Amino acid sequence: MASAAHRGGGRPGKPTAKASSSAASGWIVGLVTVIVVGGCIGIGVLNGDSGGTTVPAPAADERVDTVPILAQAATSQGICYGWRLESYYGSAVSVGSNLGDGVAVVDNPACPRWVEVTAEVRYTSESSESSDSATVDVTGSTDIDRSDLYAVENGLRRFGLDEDAFVDDPGWAVCRAAVALPLLMVEAGVAEPAATPAAAPGSSASPLPAAGSDFWRDRWGWLLATAGLLLVAALLFTVGFVRRSRQRAQAPAGRTRGKA
């Protein structure tokens, strides 16, 4: 009986150990699944963000070349010109003006009258169904009519500076648009054309030497040939004259010998 009771008492313990082992295995499988799924989601997010969503700023040489052009126009027209490039979330990528790279014209005490081109570019990830886009806007000080600014904004398209250009190369496009602002402001009748720099007075040129007679310049070949012929003729005449003189000097002596 004791042996039977002992065997009977040992049987209920085996199903309990199996249940614990199955539960532990289930927790392990679930944890691994969560880790794998979470890792896949994280990798997908990172890959989506690395699909070129950062808006590039203008190159250093583009900014350096743009500032003096705007400075010359601002000095001549009395209007400050600038550019602003932003990402889709409103963060500034590049700002500049005739006052220098990184110096804005908006609310600047040195620029009571100003015009600025603003481009907002949005790049989407490769996994997104949305396409890249850009928004271009021309703003100015309160003394410039909005209709004139709108005409300047539309005029940028004539230079090939449409939304596609800003999407393809936003840095180059925003600098090119800033350089076009002074000309478009003249076309809108808001500003006068930029003054053309006057050339520095040079020293008076010395007079040219006398050209000489056209008679000698046009006939020098014939004159040289004529002089040569006259020289030859004079030489022949001299030789003939000498020989004739010798013959005359020898003639009397011959006759005297003949008579003798």
Side-chain angles (χ1 to χ4, degrees):
M1 294 294 295
S3 177
H6 177 73
R7 288 196 298 268
R11 289 176 183 174
K14 292 182 181 180
T16 302
K18 291 182 179 180
S20 299
S21 178
S22 299
S25 300
W27 277 105
I28 293 174
V29 172
L31 181 60
V32 172
T33 302
V34 171
I35 294 175
V36 172
V37 173
C40 292
I41 295 175
I43 293 174
V45 171
L46 293 176
N47 288 338
D49 292 340
S50 62
T53 59
T54 302
V55 178
D61 58 340
E62 292 174 342
R63 301 193 302 270
V64 170
D65 294 341
T66 302
V67 171
I69 297 175
L70 299 182
Q72 182 180 358
T75 301
S76 177
Q77 299 178 348
I79 302 176
C80 291
Y81 294 101
W83 76 85
R84 178 180 294 271
L85 178 63
E86 299 178 346
S87 65
Y88 178 70
Y89 299 101
S91 58
V93 176
S94 176
V95 176
S97 66
N98 57 284
L99 301 178
D101 183 19
V103 182
V105 296
V106 181
D107 298 331
N108 193 321
C111 296
R113 205 166 186 229
W114 56 270
V115 175
E116 183 183 68
V117 56
T118 302
E120 184 184 76
V121 180
R122 179 187 182 185
Y123 288 151
T124 59
S125 61
E126 296 180 357
S127 59
S128 176
E129 296 181 357
S130 301
S131 58
D132 300 334
S133 61
T135 302
V136 183
D137 189 21
V138 176
T139 57
S141 52
T142 56
D143 61 320
I144 302 176
D145 294 337
R146 179 57 197 171
S147 59
D148 294 332
L149 295 174
Y150 185 72
V152 172
E153 183 179 314
N154 288 335
L156 293 175
R157 296 179 178 273
R158 298 205 318 267
F159 294 91
L161 299 171
D162 53 7
E163 287 77 7
D164 292 338
F166 282 88
V167 169
D168 294 339
D169 194 347
W172 170 87
V174 74
C175 289
R176 184 71 177 87
V179 172
L181 290 178
L183 176 60
L184 294 174
M185 290 290 286
V186 172
E187 291 184 356
V190 181
E192 296 294 330
T196 303
S203 59
S204 58
S206 59
L208 296 175
S213 175
D214 292 339
F215 178 83
W216 297 105
R217 183 170 59 251
D218 296 340
R219 296 173 175 82
W220 67 271
W222 291 101
L223 294 175
L224 183 61
T226 302
L229 292 175
L230 291 175
L231 181 62
V232 171
L235 181 62
L236 294 176
F237 177 79
T238 302
V239 172
F241 180 79
V242 172
R243 293 183 63 181
R244 182 63 177 170
S245 298
R246 289 179 178 177
Q247 290 177 358
R248 287 180 178 180
Q250 293 175 357
R255 292 194 188 97
T256 301
R257 287 194 297 271
K259 291 179 178 180

